[in-house]
Amino acid sequence: VVGTVSKTFGLSKIFGSDMFVTPSLSTSHRDNYYGKNGIGYVQGGVELAAKRKNFSLSTFLNYVGALKDDFREGFDGGVKAEVSF
């Protein structure tokens, strides 16, 4: 089971694009046959997005705090581009 809490906040307009920031916090809980039970990780992150008409561009950065041995701890991030039709 994975649970996520996030909220998007509107910032301002820059060069005609609407800007948004979305902080988030998620965690996982598991109960399986192999005895690896409990909370596996806690992840916090932030996404910054720019939207204009049918195009959006965003960048995100997350940190995973591993609470079990089989999860890797560290940062991940990236860039997303979306076009809606």
Side-chain angles (χ1 to χ4, degrees):
V1 176
V2 175
T4 302
V5 175
S6 66
K7 172 86 172 141
T8 300
F9 298 97
L11 296 176
S12 64
K13 279 191 175 260
I14 298 175
F15 302 115
S17 298
D18 294 319
M19 301 295 292
F20 300 93
V21 64
T22 307
S24 65
L25 181 66
S26 63
T27 187
S28 73
H29 183 274
R30 60 191 174 166
D31 183 10
N32 66 24
Y33 175 80
Y34 300 103
K36 295 189 176 205
N37 304 323
I39 296 175
Y41 70 87
V42 175
Q43 176 176 321
V46 65
E47 179 178 8
L48 180 63
K51 296 181 181 179
R52 178 185 257 178
K53 295 183 183 177
N54 66 339
F55 179 75
S56 69
L57 182 66
S58 63
T59 183
F60 63 93
L61 180 64
N62 299 317
Y63 180 77
V64 177
L67 302 176
K68 299 287 184 183
D69 293 339
D70 52 338
F71 285 94
R72 289 191 293 170
E73 190 165 302
F75 288 96
D76 75 329
V79 176
K80 295 188 289 187
E82 298 176 359
V83 177
S84 59
F85 297 98

